[in-house]
Amino acid sequence: MAAPRRAWLVFGFSPEEAAGEPGPGPGPRRLESGPEGIRRVWPAWSYVVVETGAGLEVRSAGLRRPLPGWAEALPSETHVVLRGPAAAQAWPRAAALRGAGEGAPAWSRALPPEPRCPPPLPLLPGGFATPRPPFFTALPGALRARRLALGHEHVLVLGAAGEAYAWGGGRHGQLGHGTLESVKEPRLVEALAGVPMQTVAAGGWHSASVSEAGDLYMWGWNESGQLALPSKGLAEERAQDEDTGAGVPSLAGSAAGPGGQQGQLRVPAHGCYHTRRRAVHLGLG
């Protein structure tokens, strides 16, 4: 019996909808792999860059354009950063949709020879790229990064020993430092100190990490349930039911995770979520 074929699905609005025209809706929509297959996907809001057996290509509203010579992509709605063996470049979105071969890039940075498997974008030698100006930011020389993730206003880094660092905007608790203050320089997420991480990820205003033991930690904004917890509106509704004697139990538990506080608590707008097997812990972010 043949093994089932993997399928790639994309979610989000199409270019037609972004322009105010009728479209297929937010998805999901199947990405047709073709004979080359699909290995990796880098989505933006209205287009996607895919890696096939034949190399990178950009797809948007039925349009497919190859991106020859590039190995990785970091797309946004204004620019896409492309990384090749000798350089990283940022191209305006319109130029990328034409194949990123017309005109001049908005930014370019030569890259030294690297190991066979360099760290993935956004990391670059000496710093990291962003798909909008200024396109490159240096990292402190003492910080040895294995992986870097970009949120809307904040940055997460996985250090060489599995430690997590966060900086940038902190108004939604997305940094995990126990406050809502912004931080300009990389700061260790102390609540995770001593727990080696294997990866980090950043959403708009929330963050996540997975430990080498397989534990998942999430913290930051939970306004729409980003932390896999009831949203603020649902928590307020449950609290109102309790006040009126409806008897609906609230979620409570021992706090854990970045910025967590011990004790019983209700699910807040800013929270932490850590789960492994049957253990669930809630805490403030």
Side-chain angles (χ1 to χ4, degrees):
M1 181 177 179
R5 188 177 180 182
R6 292 190 304 173
W8 289 86
L9 303 175
V10 293
F11 303 79
F13 291 98
S14 67
E16 295 89 350
E17 291 165 303
E21 303 172 1
R29 298 189 297 278
R30 185 186 180 102
L31 276 178
E32 297 300 328
S33 60
E36 303 89 359
I38 294 177
R39 299 176 179 176
R40 288 185 292 178
V41 175
W42 296 275
W45 186 45
S46 62
Y47 69 101
V48 62
V49 180
V50 301
E51 179 190 21
T52 73
L56 265 58
E57 66 178 44
V58 60
R59 301 186 183 186
S60 177
L63 177 71
R64 297 176 62 171
R65 291 285 188 274
L67 297 170
W70 301 106
E72 286 187 287
L74 183 64
S76 75
E77 285 304 301
T78 60
H79 294 82
V80 57
V81 172
L82 299 171
R83 176 179 181 161
Q89 295 181 350
W91 289 83
R93 172 181 170 274
L97 293 177
R98 294 193 298 268
E102 301 179 9
W107 167 84
S108 183
R109 184 177 181 87
L111 301 178
E114 293 189 357
R116 184 176 180 180
C117 297
L121 281 176
L123 275 176
L124 290 172
F128 62 95
T130 55
R132 46 189 177 269
F135 300 118
F136 181 81
T137 301
L139 284 173
L143 182 57
R144 298 290 182 260
R146 290 164 45 193
R147 182 178 293 272
L148 185 142
L150 298 174
H152 187 68
E153 297 177 337
H154 72 297
V155 181
L156 261 69
V157 158
L158 177 66
E163 68 275 32
Y165 298 85
W167 70 99
R171 57 182 173 149
H172 297 299
Q174 63 265 49
L175 301 183
H177 297 321
T179 73
L180 303 182
E181 301 296 324
S182 298
V183 176
K184 293 184 178 181
E185 298 292 335
R187 179 186 295 178
L188 181 70
V189 182
E190 295 182 1
L192 298 177
V195 183
M197 297 291 145
Q198 63 173 319
T199 192
V200 293
W205 293 286
H206 64 291
S207 305
S209 66
V210 178
S211 73
E212 293 181 354
D215 292 342
L216 169 64
Y217 296 83
M218 300 187 70
W219 61 98
W221 205 28
N222 193 51
E223 184 69 22
S224 301
Q226 297 95 317
L227 307 185
L229 296 173
S231 65
K232 179 181 179 181
L234 180 56
E236 292 175 346
E237 181 179 340
R238 289 182 173 179
Q240 184 177 4
D241 289 339
E242 289 179 350
D243 292 340
T244 58
V248 179
S250 64
L251 288 175
S254 61
Q261 297 181 5
Q262 296 298 325
Q264 300 294 309
L265 51 95
R266 291 177 180 169
V267 179
H270 310 282
C272 288
Y273 182 48
H274 160 222
T275 177
R276 185 187 183 195
R277 297 185 179 93
R278 298 182 180 178
V280 177
H281 308 280
L282 310 179
L284 292 173

